[in-house]
Short mmCIF file of all heavy atoms in Angstrom, two decimals:
data_model
loop_
_atom_site.label_atom_id
_atom_site.label_comp_id
_atom_site.label_asym_id
_atom_site.label_seq_id
_atom_site.Cartn_x
_atom_site.Cartn_y
_atom_site.Cartn_z
N GLN A 64 108.27 55.30 -57.00
CA GLN A 64 108.08 54.91 -55.60
C GLN A 64 108.61 53.50 -55.37
O GLN A 64 109.08 53.18 -54.27
CB GLN A 64 106.59 54.98 -55.25
CG GLN A 64 106.31 54.67 -53.80
CD GLN A 64 104.83 54.72 -53.47
OE1 GLN A 64 104.00 54.90 -54.36
NE2 GLN A 64 104.50 54.60 -52.22
N GLU A 65 108.54 52.67 -56.39
CA GLU A 65 108.99 51.29 -56.25
C GLU A 65 110.50 51.23 -56.03
O GLU A 65 111.01 50.31 -55.42
CB GLU A 65 108.62 50.47 -57.49
CG GLU A 65 107.13 50.19 -57.64
CD GLU A 65 106.31 51.42 -57.99
OE1 GLU A 65 106.85 52.29 -58.72
OE2 GLU A 65 105.15 51.52 -57.54
N LYS A 66 111.20 52.21 -56.55
CA LYS A 66 112.66 52.23 -56.45
C LYS A 66 113.13 53.11 -55.27
O LYS A 66 114.12 52.80 -54.61
CB LYS A 66 113.24 52.79 -57.75
CG LYS A 66 114.72 53.07 -57.76
CD LYS A 66 115.55 51.81 -57.82
CE LYS A 66 117.02 52.17 -57.98
NZ LYS A 66 117.88 50.97 -57.94
N PHE A 67 112.40 54.21 -55.03
CA PHE A 67 112.79 55.18 -54.00
C PHE A 67 111.61 55.46 -53.06
O PHE A 67 111.08 56.57 -53.03
CB PHE A 67 113.24 56.50 -54.65
CG PHE A 67 114.42 56.38 -55.56
CD1 PHE A 67 114.23 56.26 -56.94
CD2 PHE A 67 115.71 56.41 -55.07
CE1 PHE A 67 115.32 56.16 -57.80
CE2 PHE A 67 116.81 56.31 -55.92
CZ PHE A 67 116.61 56.18 -57.28
N PRO A 68 111.17 54.48 -52.30
CA PRO A 68 110.05 54.74 -51.39
C PRO A 68 110.42 55.78 -50.34
O PRO A 68 111.51 55.75 -49.77
CB PRO A 68 109.79 53.37 -50.76
CG PRO A 68 111.05 52.60 -50.95
CD PRO A 68 111.68 53.11 -52.21
N ILE A 69 109.49 56.70 -50.11
CA ILE A 69 109.71 57.81 -49.18
C ILE A 69 108.64 57.77 -48.10
O ILE A 69 107.46 57.49 -48.37
CB ILE A 69 109.65 59.16 -49.93
CG1 ILE A 69 110.88 59.33 -50.82
CG2 ILE A 69 109.55 60.34 -48.95
CD1 ILE A 69 110.79 60.51 -51.78
N SER A 70 109.06 58.07 -46.89
CA SER A 70 108.13 58.22 -45.78
C SER A 70 108.28 59.63 -45.21
O SER A 70 109.40 60.10 -44.98
CB SER A 70 108.44 57.19 -44.69
OG SER A 70 107.69 57.44 -43.52
N HIS A 71 107.17 60.31 -45.02
CA HIS A 71 107.19 61.68 -44.49
C HIS A 71 106.09 61.75 -43.43
O HIS A 71 105.04 62.35 -43.62
CB HIS A 71 106.93 62.67 -45.63
CG HIS A 71 107.15 64.11 -45.24
ND1 HIS A 71 106.88 65.14 -46.13
CD2 HIS A 71 107.58 64.69 -44.12
CE1 HIS A 71 107.14 66.29 -45.53
NE2 HIS A 71 107.58 66.04 -44.32
N PRO A 72 106.33 61.13 -42.26
CA PRO A 72 105.26 60.97 -41.27
C PRO A 72 104.87 62.26 -40.55
O PRO A 72 103.75 62.35 -40.04
CB PRO A 72 105.85 59.97 -40.28
CG PRO A 72 107.34 60.16 -40.40
CD PRO A 72 107.58 60.50 -41.83
N ASN A 73 105.78 63.23 -40.49
CA ASN A 73 105.44 64.49 -39.83
C ASN A 73 106.23 65.63 -40.46
O ASN A 73 107.01 65.40 -41.39
CB ASN A 73 105.70 64.39 -38.31
CG ASN A 73 107.15 64.04 -38.02
OD1 ASN A 73 108.06 64.74 -38.42
ND2 ASN A 73 107.35 62.92 -37.32
N LEU A 74 106.01 66.85 -39.94
CA LEU A 74 106.59 68.03 -40.58
C LEU A 74 108.10 68.14 -40.42
O LEU A 74 108.73 68.96 -41.06
CB LEU A 74 105.93 69.30 -40.02
CG LEU A 74 104.49 69.53 -40.45
CD1 LEU A 74 103.91 70.75 -39.74
CD2 LEU A 74 104.38 69.70 -41.95
N SER A 75 108.69 67.30 -39.58
CA SER A 75 110.12 67.48 -39.35
C SER A 75 110.97 66.29 -39.79
O SER A 75 112.19 66.36 -39.75
CB SER A 75 110.38 67.75 -37.87
OG SER A 75 110.01 66.64 -37.09
N PHE A 76 110.36 65.23 -40.25
CA PHE A 76 111.14 64.03 -40.55
C PHE A 76 110.73 63.40 -41.87
O PHE A 76 109.54 63.32 -42.20
CB PHE A 76 110.98 63.00 -39.42
CG PHE A 76 111.78 61.76 -39.63
CD1 PHE A 76 113.12 61.69 -39.30
CD2 PHE A 76 111.18 60.63 -40.21
CE1 PHE A 76 113.87 60.55 -39.53
CE2 PHE A 76 111.92 59.47 -40.43
CZ PHE A 76 113.26 59.44 -40.08
N SER A 77 111.73 62.96 -42.63
CA SER A 77 111.48 62.23 -43.86
C SER A 77 112.57 61.18 -44.03
O SER A 77 113.72 61.39 -43.61
CB SER A 77 111.47 63.18 -45.07
OG SER A 77 111.28 62.46 -46.28
N SER A 78 112.21 60.07 -44.63
CA SER A 78 113.21 59.07 -44.95
C SER A 78 112.98 58.56 -46.36
O SER A 78 111.85 58.57 -46.86
CB SER A 78 113.17 57.90 -43.96
OG SER A 78 111.97 57.18 -44.10
N MET A 79 114.06 58.17 -47.00
CA MET A 79 113.98 57.62 -48.35
C MET A 79 114.88 56.39 -48.41
O MET A 79 115.97 56.37 -47.83
CB MET A 79 114.42 58.63 -49.39
CG MET A 79 114.28 58.12 -50.82
SD MET A 79 114.71 59.31 -52.08
CE MET A 79 116.50 59.27 -51.98
N THR A 80 114.41 55.37 -49.08
CA THR A 80 115.19 54.15 -49.27
C THR A 80 115.55 54.01 -50.74
O THR A 80 114.71 54.28 -51.60
CB THR A 80 114.41 52.91 -48.80
OG1 THR A 80 114.06 53.09 -47.42
CG2 THR A 80 115.24 51.65 -48.95
N VAL A 81 116.77 53.64 -51.01
CA VAL A 81 117.18 53.30 -52.37
C VAL A 81 117.16 51.77 -52.44
O VAL A 81 117.96 51.10 -51.79
CB VAL A 81 118.59 53.83 -52.71
CG1 VAL A 81 118.96 53.47 -54.14
CG2 VAL A 81 118.64 55.34 -52.51
N LEU A 82 116.18 51.24 -53.14
CA LEU A 82 116.03 49.79 -53.21
C LEU A 82 116.86 49.23 -54.36
O LEU A 82 116.95 49.83 -55.43
CB LEU A 82 114.55 49.43 -53.44
CG LEU A 82 113.59 49.72 -52.28
CD1 LEU A 82 112.16 49.42 -52.70
CD2 LEU A 82 113.96 48.92 -51.05
N ASN A 83 117.46 48.09 -54.11
CA ASN A 83 118.16 47.38 -55.17
C ASN A 83 119.15 48.32 -55.88
O ASN A 83 119.07 48.54 -57.08
CB ASN A 83 117.12 46.84 -56.15
CG ASN A 83 117.63 45.69 -56.97
OD1 ASN A 83 118.64 45.09 -56.65
ND2 ASN A 83 116.94 45.40 -58.06
N ALA A 84 120.05 48.87 -55.10
CA ALA A 84 120.96 49.90 -55.63
C ALA A 84 121.96 49.31 -56.62
O ALA A 84 122.49 48.22 -56.42
CB ALA A 84 121.70 50.56 -54.47
N TYR A 85 122.20 50.08 -57.68
CA TYR A 85 123.21 49.72 -58.65
C TYR A 85 124.13 50.90 -58.88
O TYR A 85 123.91 51.99 -58.32
CB TYR A 85 122.57 49.23 -59.96
CG TYR A 85 122.01 47.84 -59.82
CD1 TYR A 85 120.65 47.63 -59.62
CD2 TYR A 85 122.85 46.72 -59.83
CE1 TYR A 85 120.14 46.36 -59.46
CE2 TYR A 85 122.35 45.45 -59.66
CZ TYR A 85 120.99 45.28 -59.47
OH TYR A 85 120.49 44.01 -59.28
#
Side-chain angles (χ1 to χ4, degrees):
Chain A
Q64 183 181 6
E65 289 70 34
K66 172 73 174 176
F67 300 96
I69 289 170
S70 171
H71 189 184
N73 58 58
L74 289 175
S75 64
F76 182 83
S77 177
S78 67
M79 183 177 76
T80 302
V81 181
L82 292 175
N83 202 15
Y85 285 100

